[in-house]
Amino acid sequence: MVYTSRSARHGALLVGTFAVLGLLTACGNGKDVHTNPPITASGTAAPATGTTKSPEAGTSAPAATATGAVPAAPSKAAPSASGGGTATAAATTRCHTSQLRASVGRNDPGAGQENFPVVLTNTSGRTCTVHGYPGAAFVSASGSPLGPDPKRESGSPTTITLRPGQSAWAGLTFSNPGISGAKTATPAALLVTPPDERDALKVVWTGGAVPVSGNSSSVFLSVFSPGTAP
């Protein structure tokens, strides 16, 4: 057995202590060769939304519009009509005053009656319809009415389709004043109002005197028929 002096043992203990301290200092220098390198994730950062909750991994939030709302799916467009077929309601609506021209045809007298066709012609570029009776009124040069408004004859109104350039006519009839003895006046114009319209068309009257009062002074209108005369 080798004898070691007390001073030698004390020296060895100090050396061991310094060795341990040196090892601990080396481990705390922040450089660990065994540490894995940092992982860099690619992608685009989302804008802050005011909440600390992060979206779950593997999901993506829908893009927001300028107002912050998620854009709605586009509505499904209605199929468009193709080819020929029945005209749509928009293409065959009622004829308006602005689409028509009024005229009065030649007198066709008979059996003591005067018979004038009142004609409406489609001057527009689209198809439209007339139905029923026109409105009419005789007026003087100053625009004053002459006699009562014409009455309606009995009849069965039908819808007349007018393509551009086509016409419909209604009969304007009254008893010959020379036979009936009614009081007369000579109008300057006849105002013709298309069915269901408020604005009238002015036609110069060249048919002579018309009854305005007295016996058998009534003037009558018939329903519209296709064409310009019977």
Side-chain angles (χ1 to χ4, degrees):
M1 177 177 181
V2 179
Y3 176 76
T4 303
S5 65
R6 182 178 181 182
S7 60
R9 291 197 303 271
H10 181 71
L13 178 61
L14 290 176
V15 172
T17 301
F18 284 121
V20 172
L21 291 175
L23 179 61
L24 293 175
T25 302
C27 294
N29 63 3
K31 294 183 180 180
D32 187 355
V33 294
H34 298 289
T35 302
N36 293 328
I39 299 175
T40 302
S42 61
T44 303
T49 60
T51 175
T52 58
K53 184 177 181 180
S54 301
E56 296 181 1
T59 63
S60 59
T65 63
T67 59
V70 177
S75 58
K76 189 174 182 181
S80 58
S82 59
T86 304
T88 62
T92 57
T93 55
R94 181 183 82 244
C95 294
H96 300 294
T97 302
S98 60
Q99 299 171 280
L100 301 169
R101 180 184 71 246
S103 59
V104 177
R106 186 178 60 184
N107 184 19
D108 182 22
Q113 294 290 111
E114 310 299 323
N115 305 298
F116 295 87
V118 176
V119 181
L120 292 180
T121 301
N122 181 3
T123 58
S124 73
R126 70 175 185 84
T127 300
C128 60
T129 61
V130 294
H131 179 89
Y133 299 83
F138 290 113
V139 294
S140 64
S142 64
S144 300
L146 298 175
D149 291 342
K151 298 178 180 180
R152 293 179 175 182
E153 290 183 344
S154 60
S156 299
T158 59
T159 299
I160 310 299
T161 300
L162 300 180
R163 294 185 176 86
Q166 292 186 328
S167 302
W169 69 277
L172 183 146
T173 303
F174 53 86
S175 299
N176 186 310
I179 298 174
S180 67
K183 293 183 179 180
T184 66
T186 301
L190 177 69
L191 301 182
V192 181
T193 305
D196 300 316
E197 291 290 298
R198 293 182 179 274
D199 297 327
L201 298 165
K202 188 175 183 179
V203 183
V204 175
W205 179 257
T206 59
V210 299
V212 293
S213 64
N215 295 331
S216 301
S217 61
S218 296
V219 180
F220 295 91
L221 285 167
S222 69
V223 297
F224 275 111
S225 297
T228 57

